[in-house]
Amino acid sequence: MTDATPDQIAGAAAKGRLDRLRAGLKRRHARETRFKWYGRLAIAAAMLFLAVLLVRIVEQGHTAFYTHTVTVPVFMDPARVDRAYPQGSNFEQLAAEQQLARMGIQDDAAGTKAAQMKRLFSSELKFVAADLVAKRSEVIGETVPLAVPLSDDADLYLKGEISRETPEDQRRLTDQQIAWLDRMQTEGVIGSHFNTALFTNGDSTQPELAGVLGAVVGSALMLMVTALIAIPLGVGAAIWLEEFAPKNKLTDIIEVNINNLAAVPSIVYGLLGLALFINWMHLPRASPIVGGLVLALMALPTLVIATRSALKAVPPSIREAALAMGASKTQTVFSHVLPLAMPGVMTGAIISMAHALGETAPLLLIGMVSFVPGVPHAIDQPVGALPSLIYIWENASERAFHERTAAAIIVLLVFMIIMNAAAIILRRRFERRW
Amino acid sequence: MIWIYLLILVALSAAAFFGGRTLARRRAIGAKPHSRPGQHGAYALIWVAAPALLVLILASVFAAPLQRQLTAAGTPDAVAALEPFRRDAFFADAHRVGRGEAALQIWERPLAEQLPVEARRMVRIERTLSWGGGVAAILAAILGGLFALTQIKPQTRARNRVEGWIYGALFVCSAIAVLTTLGIIASLAFDSFRFFQKVPVLDFLFGTQWSPQIAIRADQVGSSGAFGAVPLFAGTLLIMVIAMCVAAPIGLLSAIYLSEYAGRTTRAVIKPLLEILAGVPTVVYGFFAALTVGPLLRVFFNEIGLFLIGGPLDGLGQYLALVQNQMALTAGAVMGIMLIPFVSSLSDDILNAVPQSLRDGSFAMGATKSETVKRVLLPAALPGIAGALLLAVSRAIGETMIVTMAAGLAANLTFNPLDTVTTVTVQIVTLLTGDQEFNSAKTLSAFGLGLTLFLVTLMLNIIAHRIVQTYREQYD
């Protein structure tokens, strides 16, 4: 016996259905929110990676932008300095012994302390002193202050990268050397300043003397060759394909071909360069001309694709108007379509050049992993390039090269950002709505 | 030297242009010319510059081999008797002396007397060749110019002829792109062929032992080298799978969020940031992997290992405690990060290509956004996304710097992500950097690997493009 009227039963059923619906809706909304959060998390992860990448590189590299110099007065002992051949004199020994004497330290017979002191100075001291004597031989017999970089290990200690707490046999500096460094620093003979050598020197086996200028010039020479070859060829090919090419099997093949070339792994271009340009044509190994050619072939397909889309964006009405006024096909393309597509073409060119600048793998195969000291000046001499310099330094065993690798990466990234920013500005500036 | 000739050429071309223009103007008086004077000028310019450039290019291509032949032809007996590499060194020194530099080596009696003589002869040969090329080029320019002069008449269709040249030049530009492919195939195939003469194809493709190092003496261990590439393929595959496990979900979800949920401002901020991630050179990712991610992961696994040692999972703990920096996981994870923007921008394009009407239909049925994405957009975009992921796979297989710097060199046939593995691209780099002799199987094997890599990525790209294209046509 039940009091429930049919109405109430229907109401309860409706309520139950409503509850189910509500619960289902809640579930669906929760799922919706969850899904939205997945998306947010994915983006957050990508941004986190980017942030960690950049922060780690700046963290590792910023110390390379300043360095320590020591100023030591050196008495140019006439008995020990060879006037005729200053390069042969042992200035490092001289400076180390005199520095020890100034600090009131007695050396033993074997001269171990002088040898240790010597290791605090960069070997640059020898060349600075020899240069000075060669130029002004009257300094012999006088005391001249010489400002030279500290050796890489001493520099790292002063930057706090070599800790005093590590056991002595596990670090590159002895307790004695650390004590001397501390004393020299309190005496004020050690100064820290912006590391100009990083930007004015070529590569060197001594980290404290190594700089990126040689690689920057090498990269610039290579990029020049790349731009001179790839941009005219790429733009020409794109114009032909987009404006002139008859629609037939041949042009289809060329088109598919170019799309495929854009996706060929860069190292395959390195193999091509090695086999074709070096082994077959005997062009000089590791030279900007070979590097530039390889990068040009690599950049060509991307350039063609970018230029074609820029040309495609110019509305047909422009072409028709020009043709209607009696212009020939060539005149239409070169005086009307191309100028209007120019911002797009230039953006594509800059972006593909930026890619070429950062490419490393093909350069390794054409020999750009060898050590090239100094700053290059010709396009047929072996040079280094910024990305391959990063690769070489990353593999170097001296710890001081680690911070320099990160610093070179910062330099490379700055170049990339400038180029990409230029492309973005161009695009914004000349963006046109038809 | 070539710069001087180029300068002369530029001057001659300019003279041809202005001369031709003036001449066309003068000859056009009283007649109705077909083309404008400037077009006649351009025609003259082409006839001066094109033949001369052709001669210059031919001269610079053939100068080096010709010089080698001429030098070899007149070699004195004392020099000819030397061993080949000594002879090369002698000629290199003669070259230096000829340029007024000091010789690099000290040569003994008969050779020392020959050196200055040879130096003079080399200078003579070089000068003759370079002068010959230049003079021939200028002669060609003059002949071309004379021909153009006779052609400047009012009725000459100069414009059409110039345009014909331009058309030809543009076509040559496109042809060079095709020649690049031919160059790649030819260079890879030629050297691979030499490799496969020494090592059978089947041994290469299905052998499980990779140790290309050939010992110097026959009695040393591994004196023959082993060229079974399966461990390399396995390593490449492993790293690729790890990379895709990172890149596919993150890239796809970011693309969905950006195209379906994000507002204009969020998009405007996130997109350029992702583009930065895409623009970072791979060598930088390699550095990041080797010095940040590798040590981080090692410490992570070592800590877990230390925690597990002594417990029920002691063996696993012992293993984890000894994990090294260089492992497949490091390279794969960082490569995944590199691929995120690639996957996301491709998927973004594909999602945007799905017509709005499908979304509207789904919303009209009361579906939420996520249901629309999961049940309507993704199935509709699936072929396109599959194509995009395939393109990412091909990028992962061809990527070099990250694996070179973070994956290691040991060719292990393993699917354990904590082991060091090596990949096809790493081996190509290792085989071709450093000392190499050109005919050893070791060096040539790099080309065999390169050919395999090229063919595999080519196939993936073709399949991916086909999938993307067939899919796109459905809505057009």
Side-chain angles (χ1 to χ4, degrees):
Chain A
M1 74 152 263
T2 146
D3 299 337
T5 59
D7 261 12
Q8 276 171 320
I9 294 173
K15 199 167 173 292
R17 210 170 64 221
L18 205 65
D19 280 347
R20 265 206 317 281
L21 263 178
R22 283 231 176 85
L25 207 58
K26 213 171 154 190
R27 239 188 356 260
R28 286 173 62 201
H29 282 168
R31 215 178 284 147
E32 169 76 22
T33 324
R34 263 206 312 277
F35 190 72
K36 214 165 161 179
W37 273 103
Y38 292 152
R40 289 208 181 111
L41 279 178
I43 287 179
M47 294 302 110
L48 181 77
F49 290 140
L50 179 65
V52 171
L53 175 77
L54 295 180
V55 166
R56 274 297 284 170
I57 284 166
V58 171
E59 189 189 332
Q60 287 173 319
H62 75 280
T63 49
F65 289 102
Y66 72 97
T67 184
H68 292 91
T69 315
V70 61
T71 313
V72 279
V74 179
F75 171 64
M76 296 289 181
D77 194 343
R80 308 224 349 227
V81 176
D82 186 347
R83 187 180 294 266
Y85 184 62
Q87 290 85 345
S89 323
N90 197 344
F91 290 105
E92 290 171 278
Q93 187 72 23
L94 203 64
E97 281 170 14
Q98 291 177 6
Q99 180 64 25
L100 280 177
R102 247 194 313 281
M103 287 163 79
I105 298 164
Q106 191 70 40
D107 202 357
D108 53 15
T112 46
K113 287 187 180 168
Q116 282 199 16
M117 175 60 87
K118 216 165 90 174
R119 245 174 273 140
L120 293 181
F121 304 137
S122 162
S123 62
E124 174 84 342
L125 191 141
K126 185 165 60 191
F127 302 106
V128 172
D131 243 28
L132 187 74
V133 174
K135 256 188 229 134
R136 292 174 32 218
S137 58
E138 67 268 18
V139 295
I140 296 178
E142 285 175 24
T143 303
V144 276
L146 290 180
V148 292
L150 276 179
S151 76
D152 51 334
D153 293 324
D155 187 46
L156 281 181
Y157 166 69
L158 290 178
K159 285 172 182 170
E161 313 243 333
I162 292 179
S163 160
R164 196 195 300 265
E165 269 77 55
T166 357
E168 191 176 4
D169 53 345
Q170 283 173 28
R171 57 174 136 83
R172 301 282 300 266
L173 294 174
T174 60
D175 287 342
Q176 203 171 35
Q177 283 174 316
I178 287 181
W180 290 343
L181 273 176
D182 287 344
R183 199 167 140 197
M184 276 153 77
Q185 200 174 24
T186 45
E187 279 168 12
V189 291
I190 293 176
S192 98
H193 58 86
F194 180 70
N195 189 357
T196 42
L198 187 64
F199 296 97
T200 54
N201 283 3
D203 197 4
S204 165
T205 48
Q206 254 100 24
E208 71 272 12
L209 301 179
V212 297
L213 184 63
V216 169
V217 172
S219 270
L221 285 173
M222 217 160 60
L223 220 52
M224 196 182 76
V225 175
T226 307
L228 280 180
I229 294 169
I231 293 177
L233 278 183
V235 174
I239 291 176
W240 189 75
L241 284 174
E242 197 58 41
E243 305 284 339
F244 291 99
K247 293 277 166 271
N248 59 24
K249 263 262 155 59
L250 182 71
T251 43
D252 276 354
I253 291 174
I254 295 181
E255 214 176 313
V256 171
N257 213 308
I258 287 173
N259 284 335
N260 278 333
L261 275 179
V264 170
S266 61
I267 195 164
V268 172
Y269 284 98
L271 286 171
L272 168 75
L274 177 66
L276 185 66
F277 299 130
I278 294 180
N279 288 334
W280 193 63
M281 285 165 75
H282 294 284
L283 289 175
R285 180 175 279 269
S287 61
I289 182 132
V290 173
L293 278 169
V294 169
L295 293 182
L297 291 184
M298 213 189 71
L300 200 58
T302 11
L303 206 61
V304 172
I305 292 169
T307 309
R308 284 190 69 175
S309 60
L311 289 173
K312 233 179 240 156
V314 177
S317 57
I318 306 269
R319 292 183 188 84
E320 283 151 15
L323 290 173
M325 295 300 287
S328 69
K329 187 81 198 167
T330 316
Q331 285 168 330
T332 309
V333 171
F334 282 92
S335 338
H336 299 266
V337 180
L338 193 56
L340 289 174
M342 216 50 199
V345 174
M346 275 158 76
T347 318
I350 294 172
I351 288 175
S352 63
M353 287 304 114
H355 260 274
L357 174 67
E359 198 52 68
T360 322
L363 301 186
L364 301 187
L365 295 197
I366 55 162
M368 285 203 179
V369 266
S370 40
F371 170 67
V372 183
V375 178
H377 49 82
I379 63 162
D380 56 355
Q381 302 291 311
V383 300
L386 212 37
S388 54
L389 184 79
I390 292 168
Y391 179 68
I392 297 170
W393 281 2
E394 201 269 333
N395 283 324
S397 52
E398 279 96 341
R399 243 186 90 185
F401 270 122
H402 280 181
E403 56 168 22
R404 263 150 240 269
T405 314
I409 286 178
I410 294 173
V411 173
L412 179 62
L413 286 181
V414 166
F415 275 115
M416 308 287 290
I417 289 172
I418 290 174
M419 288 173 94
N420 282 312
I424 290 172
I425 289 170
L426 260 176
R427 195 155 47 188
R428 287 265 158 83
R429 191 115 191 236
F430 295 100
E431 203 165 52
R432 199 189 302 247
R433 298 210 170 254
W434 305 98
Chain B
M1 209 53 193
I2 191 117
W3 296 109
I4 298 174
Y5 290 128
L6 280 181
L7 263 180
I8 295 176
L9 206 59
V10 169
L12 279 179
S13 313
F17 177 75
F18 291 111
R21 199 172 62 173
T22 326
L23 198 64
R25 250 186 220 133
R26 203 168 302 155
R27 289 192 184 162
I29 293 168
K32 189 172 179 301
H34 171 272
S35 300
R36 306 189 53 206
Q39 286 154 350
H40 282 281
Y43 185 58
L45 182 148
I46 287 170
W47 268 104
V48 167
L53 263 182
L54 190 71
V55 170
L56 263 190
I57 289 171
L58 285 180
S60 55
V61 168
F62 288 109
L66 207 62
Q67 185 175 355
R68 233 171 290 137
Q69 291 231 319
L70 285 177
T71 330
T75 316
D77 296 337
V79 181
L82 288 173
E83 295 157 58
F85 70 95
R86 289 268 293 163
R87 203 184 314 149
D88 287 347
F90 180 81
F91 280 125
D93 263 0
H95 209 179
R96 288 176 66 84
V97 171
R99 270 180 301 178
E101 295 166 32
L104 287 174
Q105 293 184 30
I106 297 167
W107 298 93
E108 281 151 24
R109 270 279 284 136
L111 292 173
E113 284 159 14
Q114 284 291 334
L115 194 64
V117 182
E118 279 296 291
R120 274 197 297 280
R121 193 169 70 93
M122 307 245 343
V123 170
R124 213 162 46 234
I125 291 174
E126 208 176 319
R127 197 171 291 161
T128 319
L129 280 176
S130 103
W131 273 96
V135 168
I138 289 170
L139 218 65
I142 291 170
L143 283 179
L146 287 178
F147 172 75
L149 277 188
T150 64
Q151 295 292 307
I152 295 177
K153 281 173 255 165
Q155 66 271 30
T156 308
R157 299 164 69 82
R159 194 189 80 188
N160 304 39
R161 292 188 187 178
V162 169
E163 287 176 357
W165 277 90
I166 291 177
Y167 184 88
L170 292 178
F171 176 73
V172 167
C173 291
S174 314
I176 284 177
V178 180
L179 288 180
T180 310
T181 315
L182 289 185
I184 288 175
I185 294 174
S187 60
L188 289 180
F190 179 67
D191 286 318
S192 306
F193 181 68
R194 292 202 293 166
F195 170 64
F196 290 130
Q197 276 178 333
K198 297 177 193 227
V199 178
V201 183
L202 291 180
D203 284 7
F204 174 71
L205 286 180
F206 300 109
T208 53
Q209 187 72 33
W210 179 263
S211 66
Q213 211 46 260
I214 295 173
I216 298 165
R217 290 197 324 273
D219 55 326
Q220 274 174 313
V221 180
S223 58
S224 58
F227 295 94
V230 169
L232 311 188
F233 299 150
T236 310
L237 189 71
L238 176 63
I239 288 182
M240 184 270 284
V241 168
I242 297 170
M244 292 314 291
C245 285
V246 174
I250 295 183
L252 201 55
L253 284 173
S254 327
I256 290 172
Y257 187 82
L258 282 181
S259 69
E260 303 299 320
Y261 288 98
R264 277 177 67 91
T265 37
T266 325
R267 253 180 100 84
V269 175
I270 302 290
K271 273 233 148 185
L273 284 176
L274 278 177
E275 269 171 36
I276 294 183
L277 209 51
V280 171
T282 51
V283 67
V284 177
Y285 281 113
F287 177 77
F288 180 60
L291 267 84
T292 302
V293 180
L296 213 69
L297 287 175
R298 190 203 61 206
V299 168
F300 175 72
F301 285 114
N302 288 357
E303 289 295 316
I304 292 182
L306 288 180
F307 179 74
L308 288 179
I309 283 179
L313 293 170
D314 186 65
L316 183 67
Q318 299 278 7
Y319 173 73
L320 286 180
L322 292 175
V323 162
Q324 291 300 309
N325 275 353
Q326 292 200 323
M327 52 178 149
L329 188 60
T330 311
V334 174
M335 200 191 282
I337 298 175
M338 182 198 89
L339 289 175
I340 290 172
F342 188 71
V343 173
S344 81
S345 76
L346 277 175
S347 323
D348 198 18
D349 287 348
I350 287 155
L351 286 174
N352 281 332
V354 177
Q356 186 61 33
S357 57
L358 289 188
R359 285 187 196 87
D360 293 344
S362 173
F363 292 147
M365 299 291 287
T368 62
K369 248 185 179 173
S370 66
E371 284 161 351
T372 310
V373 168
K374 278 187 270 190
R375 308 223 176 119
V376 179
L377 288 189
L378 283 185
L382 199 61
I385 288 171
L389 291 181
L390 270 188
L391 284 179
V393 164
S394 118
R395 280 268 299 250
I397 291 177
E399 169 49 42
T400 313
M401 294 318 294
I402 297 174
V403 282
T404 306
M405 290 160 93
L409 291 174
N412 290 329
L413 184 52
T414 174
F415 284 100
N416 179 357
L418 302 183
D419 258 349
T420 68
V421 294
T422 191
T423 68
V424 173
T425 48
V426 172
Q427 285 305 313
I428 295 177
V429 169
T430 344
L431 291 168
L432 291 181
T433 52
D435 292 334
Q436 34 167 301
E437 43 196 313
F438 217 80
N439 274 320
S440 78
K442 179 189 163 204
T443 320
L444 290 175
S445 67
F447 287 91
L449 290 176
L451 185 66
T452 322
L453 180 69
F454 177 73
L455 291 179
V456 169
T457 50
L458 188 69
M459 231 157 57
L460 282 174
N461 291 327
I462 292 176
I463 295 171
H465 272 292
R466 186 142 303 162
I467 293 176
V468 172
Q469 237 143 43
T470 29
Y471 155 71
R472 279 217 173 123
E473 276 163 8
Q474 286 177 358
Y475 296 114
D476 270 351

